[in-house]
Amino acid sequence: MRVISGAAKGILLKTPDGLATRPTADRVKEALFSIIQFELQGTKVLDLFGGTGQLGIEALSRGAKSCVFVDESKDACKLIQENLKRTKLEHTAQVICGDYAFFLKKCRESFDIVFLDPPYAEKFLENSLNLISEIDILQSGGIIVTERPVGKDLVCELPGYSRSKDYKYSKTILTLFRKN
């Protein structure tokens, strides 16, 4: 797993041992950042299920102004901090070790881009989408990027958001929601 483009291009990111964290495949990450490449410069990003930090780090490498990483696993938070140091992007980031729902309910910031790549087997994706739309932490025109496995439906329609088509890459589906 590596940073694909930008200031930290080519730097290898550390991955966790075991199967508790499922990093986004490089091919999917490359496709995702091709879709949003012109939306990144100077943005505030939220990587809500940080894992290894690779989505937020890629955004920072490509010109995002700042990124908040949230993960409830202490090991994942340590890994994100280590990957931020490897890429020399730690000065533009904040790592919060805690529950995503608690973070969202207490959040007083607004963001331009939110990455949602939660554990596939859980209801975190639907729950976090609903919370984000309820508490209104996305700037006007902002984007929520979701990742899920093929076969997992995302029937969620969010009031005040336009949903993109689904982008399918092998066993992964990306869907974007843009705040109207």
Side-chain angles (χ1 to χ4, degrees):
M1 189 173 63
R2 63 185 171 80
V3 179
I4 297 169
S5 187
K9 180 180 179 176
I11 295 176
L12 294 177
L13 300 176
K14 192 170 181 187
T15 57
D17 297 327
L19 301 172
T21 301
R22 173 204 36 79
T24 300
D26 274 356
R27 180 173 173 253
V28 175
K29 183 170 62 168
E30 198 163 349
L32 161 61
F33 282 93
S34 289
I35 296 167
I36 65 169
Q37 66 183 326
F38 300 113
E39 318 256 0
L40 284 168
Q41 200 62 42
T43 56
K44 288 179 66 178
V45 176
L46 171 62
D47 192 345
L48 193 56
F49 299 91
T52 61
Q54 71 162 326
L55 294 178
I57 288 171
E58 187 73 36
L60 289 170
S61 180
R62 292 174 181 239
K65 179 171 78 174
S66 64
C67 184
V68 175
F69 297 85
V70 178
D71 203 294
E72 69 180 356
S73 163
K74 289 180 182 171
D75 290 338
C77 291
K78 287 179 190 172
L79 187 60
I80 293 167
Q81 289 170 331
E82 196 171 322
N83 282 331
L84 285 164
K85 284 180 186 166
R86 281 175 175 242
T87 57
K88 297 178 176 44
L89 295 169
E90 66 266 29
H91 61 284
T92 59
Q94 179 183 7
V95 179
I96 296 172
C97 197
D99 176 70
Y100 78 95
F102 182 79
F103 171 80
L104 288 174
K105 290 174 185 173
K106 298 292 182 192
C107 185
R108 298 296 172 252
E109 289 184 69
S110 60
F111 299 93
D112 302 295
I113 298 174
V114 177
F115 294 118
L116 298 179
D117 182 14
Y120 280 175
E122 305 295 333
K123 284 276 201 185
F124 297 144
L125 183 57
E126 295 84 352
N127 293 345
S128 56
L129 279 168
N130 288 327
L131 274 172
I132 289 168
S133 70
E134 286 171 19
I135 59 176
D136 195 29
I137 63 166
L138 203 63
Q139 296 280 2
S140 181
I143 302 169
I144 302 170
V145 179
T146 68
E147 183 178 327
R148 68 184 192 281
V150 169
K152 181 174 182 170
D153 289 332
L154 184 60
V155 294
C156 189
E157 292 296 328
L158 299 177
Y161 289 81
S162 302
R163 180 179 170 164
S164 76
K165 67 177 186 163
D166 288 343
Y167 299 89
K168 184 179 175 224
Y169 302 96
S170 186
K171 297 177 184 177
T172 303
I173 298 174
L174 300 173
T175 305
L176 280 63
F177 292 85
R178 183 177 299 273
K179 187 170 181 186
N180 298 332

